[in-house]
Amino acid sequence: MRKRLLGVLPWTVVLGLLPAGAAPSVPEATQRFEVTASRYKFDPARIEVRQGDVVELVLRSADTDHGLAIKAYAVKVAIPKGGETVGVSFVASRVGTFPIECSEYCGSGHKRMKGEIVVTEKVQ
Ligand code: CUA
């Protein structure tokens, strides 16, 4: 009994110390973000995920018509005024920092309505 415990314990400890996502058997995570668009910002403006994650964005506008575009991922979705939510999802396959832009003209600050998505390398 004692011998068996000693054989099992170290592995349990080692696995417990691995950061989440490090074990090869762990499936890619779905990362869900609720993003509110308003004149002239996205909240949150910065989204961080791991390469391979499924990114699920739930978008709504707090005022007028906006849009969300991530050219690097061919994502473009209109966010209607009125607060109705719209969803879009994609796989964060490329590592890097990519701009998020408002894709619907929403006023004088439209061009500076930006965010970014940061995709970090998957831990092998
Ligand atoms: Cu918001 Cu253009």
Side-chain angles (χ1 to χ4, degrees):
M1 188 62 190
R2 184 184 169 85
K3 196 174 173 186
R4 191 189 160 126
L5 253 183
L6 284 174
V8 169
L9 192 61
W11 279 109
T12 312
V13 172
V14 168
L15 286 173
L17 289 175
L18 285 173
S25 59
V26 173
E28 314 302 353
T30 295
Q31 305 281 4
R32 190 170 189 265
F33 298 90
E34 297 189 3
V35 180
T36 300
S38 62
R39 294 189 184 97
Y40 294 101
K41 61 181 170 64
F42 294 104
D43 181 26
R46 184 182 162 98
I47 288 169
E48 293 180 48
V49 296
R50 292 262 190 212
Q51 182 182 24
D53 282 351
V54 176
V55 182
E56 195 179 305
L57 302 179
V58 179
L59 310 163
R60 61 175 285 275
S61 170
D63 43 39
T64 190
D65 288 308
H66 294 280
L68 181 141
I70 307 170
K71 282 179 187 152
Y73 284 108
V75 167
K76 189 178 178 183
V77 57
I79 310 171
K81 63 182 170 195
E84 182 194 334
T85 58
V86 289
V88 63
S89 65
F90 59 95
V91 177
S93 53
R94 298 168 60 190
V95 170
T97 299
F98 307 102
I100 295 174
E101 294 171 333
C102 181
S103 55
E104 296 286 326
Y105 182 77
C106 54
S108 60
H110 164 70
K111 279 208 153 70
R112 60 183 156 84
M113 182 167 168
K114 291 181 187 302
E116 64 182 11
I117 177 166
V118 180
V119 183
T120 52
E121 219 164 304
K122 182 159 62 177
V123 178
Q124 294 297 333

